[in-house]
Amino acid sequence: MARTMASDDVVEQPLDPLSSAEAAAHHIVETCLKDGPVGPVGLEIEAHCYDRTDPRRRPGWEELTAVIAAVPPLPGGSAVTVEPGGAVELSGPPGADAATAVAAMASDRAVLREAFARAGLGLVLLGADPLRPAERVNPGARYSAMETFFRASDTGAAGAAMMTATASVQVNLEAGPKPGWADRVRLAHALGPTMIAIAANSPILGSDFTGWQSTRQLVWSRLDSARCGPVLGAAGDDPASDWAGYALRAPVMLVHNPDPEPVTQWAPFADWADGRVLLGGRRPTAADLDYHLTTLFPPVRPRGFLEVRYLDSVPDAVWPAVVHTLTTLLDDPAAAAVAGEATEPVATAWDRAAQLGLQDPSLHRAAIRCVHAAAERVPAPLEESMTMLVRSVEQGRCPADDFADRVATHGIAPAVTELAQGEL
């Protein structure tokens, strides 16, 4: 398992174009999942960055990069990057297991928080920015081109919110042994609604309660389903082929010539590969295909390993337990059996989970069984976090409820200020 973000802006062009969509599909099938044992876990955590005294101000690019440049080497080895709207992401190297990955990420977050606090800034773990309007501060050419693409495809507002106002905890897990790929990927999808309900932490966007517990998930649902919807086909028996079909049907967002340029016509990658359209005046290469895959954002994305992308960014007290829960339910065979049975009735309830969270009785029942299965297998370092998560789930509460209560008591800006200043 490798870091996933560092290569998204770079395409090295081989000379030979792909011969056809069939050749492109073959390339995807051969590379999208890697046969091997489960165990290693990679984490990526995004946090919104606020001025600790003026939470409505969005720190700028030069300010953010100056702070990051002064951050000492992180003990857990995470890389620090800035998202389009100024959210700060830590991308950790794979740990031997969830507990190891969590410990490394927690140590890196502590160092990063301290460095930002010295600069008068706070890093807040929420699934959506509840206060500021969407605004891009990262000047990267990729993000400028993405904005143009979203506007041309009539998803400009949702695209801007996705890029600049949402944040997540991403869990990267090995694909596992090849004979189990279908079951593993099916379960990763089936767990989605239940885990969304458990981790929902974005009830407010742009200073308004949206009526959704995970507004982050709502924002993603308003983007093109060909790019952001679930991958699996009807049966889900061949996830590699399902991913290939999904990727070839998805419209091309950006073409490198050599900088990223937006594609403002609807052009499925299959049409480009077959020569029915020419983008950038040429046929695509394997490097173009690999880059195209980085512009697809399904809730579970195969990249040799599995990127699980459907979790809101959640507070420090519980994200370790959320990571342990998801990892255990996928990696431990007995826990996976419990999870498969528990989530079957709600396996496709994506919107219901995002809107109602654990207020939905069926999702609540599934969540209780899932967190209990994870709690039975929790290692000692994660027991405190897991106890907190189990208690919240049993009470039918997700982090969005806690944040909404804080806002009801103090108001949005004061609530954000408290979090930015580290007041729990």
Side-chain angles (χ1 to χ4, degrees):
M1 187 188 304
R3 298 190 195 277
T4 61
M5 299 301 292
S7 62
D8 281 359
D9 293 323
V10 178
V11 171
E12 295 181 2
Q13 292 288 353
L15 296 178
D16 295 331
L18 293 165
S19 61
S20 64
E22 183 178 357
H26 178 76
H27 175 80
I28 295 171
V29 168
E30 291 300 309
T31 59
C32 71
L33 295 172
K34 182 180 178 181
D35 187 13
V38 301
V41 177
L43 298 178
E44 301 177 25
I45 296 185
E46 297 169 338
H48 300 286
C49 184
Y50 293 94
D51 185 312
R52 287 159 62 99
T53 59
D54 181 8
R56 296 182 187 278
R57 183 181 76 85
R58 188 182 295 272
W61 174 251
E62 292 183 358
E63 182 179 2
L64 292 168
T65 53
V67 175
I68 291 171
V71 173
L74 297 178
S78 294
V80 186
T81 54
V82 179
E83 294 298 294
V88 178
E89 179 180 76
L90 281 174
S91 301
D97 52 31
T100 303
V102 165
M105 180 60 68
S107 65
D108 289 351
R109 270 196 46 77
V111 173
L112 194 69
R113 283 200 312 270
E114 184 177 345
F116 271 73
R118 287 195 298 269
L121 303 175
L123 299 176
V124 176
L125 298 174
L126 285 167
D129 186 334
L131 194 57
R132 301 171 298 195
E135 179 186 352
R136 181 169 62 89
V137 300
N138 187 324
R142 170 182 168 98
Y143 301 125
S144 176
M146 287 175 68
E147 283 180 334
T148 302
F149 172 87
F150 285 129
R151 286 194 296 267
S153 59
D154 295 325
T155 56
M162 178 273 285
M163 289 197 297
T164 69
T166 64
S168 71
V169 172
Q170 181 174 302
V171 183
N172 301 325
L173 301 175
E174 298 294 352
K178 187 173 182 178
W181 283 353
D183 288 341
R184 185 165 173 78
V185 175
R186 272 197 296 262
L187 181 57
H189 282 79
L191 277 166
T194 299
M195 292 303 302
I196 286 170
I198 290 171
N201 191 32
S202 47
I204 305 172
L205 180 67
S207 298
D208 290 321
F209 278 95
T210 63
W212 291 61
Q213 297 285 67
S214 176
T215 303
R216 174 183 175 273
Q217 187 68 20
L218 171 64
V219 167
W220 283 91
S221 73
R222 288 175 170 170
L223 295 170
D224 175 18
S225 62
R227 168 166 271 101
C228 300
V231 169
L232 287 186
D237 293 330
D238 186 355
S241 294
D242 285 343
W243 176 231
Y246 181 106
L248 294 179
R249 290 189 298 270
V252 180
M253 174 184 276
L254 311 174
V255 174
H256 277 74
N257 274 328
D259 294 325
E261 299 174 357
V263 176
T264 56
Q265 65 190 94
W266 183 273
F269 193 93
D271 288 358
W272 192 20
D274 279 334
R276 287 190 288 271
V277 297
L278 294 180
L279 301 177
R282 58 181 176 81
R283 297 276 290 272
T285 66
D288 287 311
L289 176 55
D290 289 339
Y291 188 79
H292 171 65
L293 299 179
T294 74
T295 70
L296 308 180
F297 310 111
V300 180
R301 182 166 69 172
R303 294 191 72 176
F305 52 94
L306 298 179
E307 289 181 348
V308 181
R309 305 171 55 86
Y310 45 61
L311 300 172
D312 278 10
S313 191
V314 292
D316 281 307
V318 293
W319 70 254
V322 170
V323 169
H324 165 73
T325 298
L326 179 64
T327 302
T328 300
L329 297 178
L330 283 166
D331 285 3
D332 182 283
V338 172
E341 180 181 318
T343 60
E344 184 177 6
V346 291
T348 60
W350 298 89
D351 286 350
R352 185 152 44 104
Q355 184 169 18
L356 299 177
L358 296 177
Q359 298 167 20
D360 178 88
S362 297
L363 285 160
H364 189 206
R365 286 192 294 270
I368 289 174
R369 292 191 62 190
C370 285
V371 296
H372 281 176
E376 291 171 1
R377 297 160 174 83
V378 67
L382 303 182
E383 283 183 354
E384 182 178 357
S385 181
M386 195 70 220
T387 297
M388 293 181 64
L389 183 65
V390 169
R391 182 169 61 246
S392 294
V393 169
E394 288 178 343
Q395 294 172 348
R397 292 178 63 86
C398 58
D401 295 305
D402 296 332
F403 182 64
D405 287 350
R406 184 185 290 265
V407 169
T409 301
H410 302 290
I412 299 175
V416 171
T417 297
E418 288 180 349
L419 294 176
Q421 293 177 348
E423 299 177 20
L424 302 179

